[in-house]
Amino acid sequence: MSHLFGSLSVFMFVALPNGRDKRVTLASIPCDYAEREEVFRKFVDVNGASLLKATIHAEFVARETVYL
């Protein structure tokens, strides 16, 4: 069985003085696709006390470079 390996990008949005929001990456954690939710849960458990849990988001990113 093939596994999709990539990274979990954990981020949040912060308000800038000019009223706009900016996406800020908090961590990029290498992991397998099947482990993404567990990895995110652990990150929130460890860091959630210092951050507002409702504002932390994550996305799984996988890239492949193809050469000819």
Side-chain angles (χ1 to χ4, degrees):
M1 180 176 172
S2 171
H3 294 278
L4 180 59
F5 194 81
S7 64
L8 189 71
S9 178
V10 182
F11 62 94
M12 66 186 297
F13 290 95
V14 295
L16 298 176
N18 64 6
R20 296 177 59 188
D21 289 336
K22 179 177 180 174
R23 178 179 162 150
V24 177
T25 301
L26 304 173
S28 184
I29 308 164
C31 67
D32 192 87
Y33 178 78
E35 300 170 341
R36 71 198 185 285
E37 291 178 1
E38 180 182 347
V39 170
F40 184 46
R41 214 173 273 116
K42 285 181 181 179
F43 180 88
V44 172
D45 288 346
V46 170
N47 299 288
S50 61
L51 302 168
L52 296 173
K53 289 184 182 184
T55 63
I56 302 172
H57 309 282
E59 66 183 358
F60 182 81
V61 179
R63 292 189 175 99
E64 178 181 13
T65 303
V66 178
Y67 297 99
L68 296 178

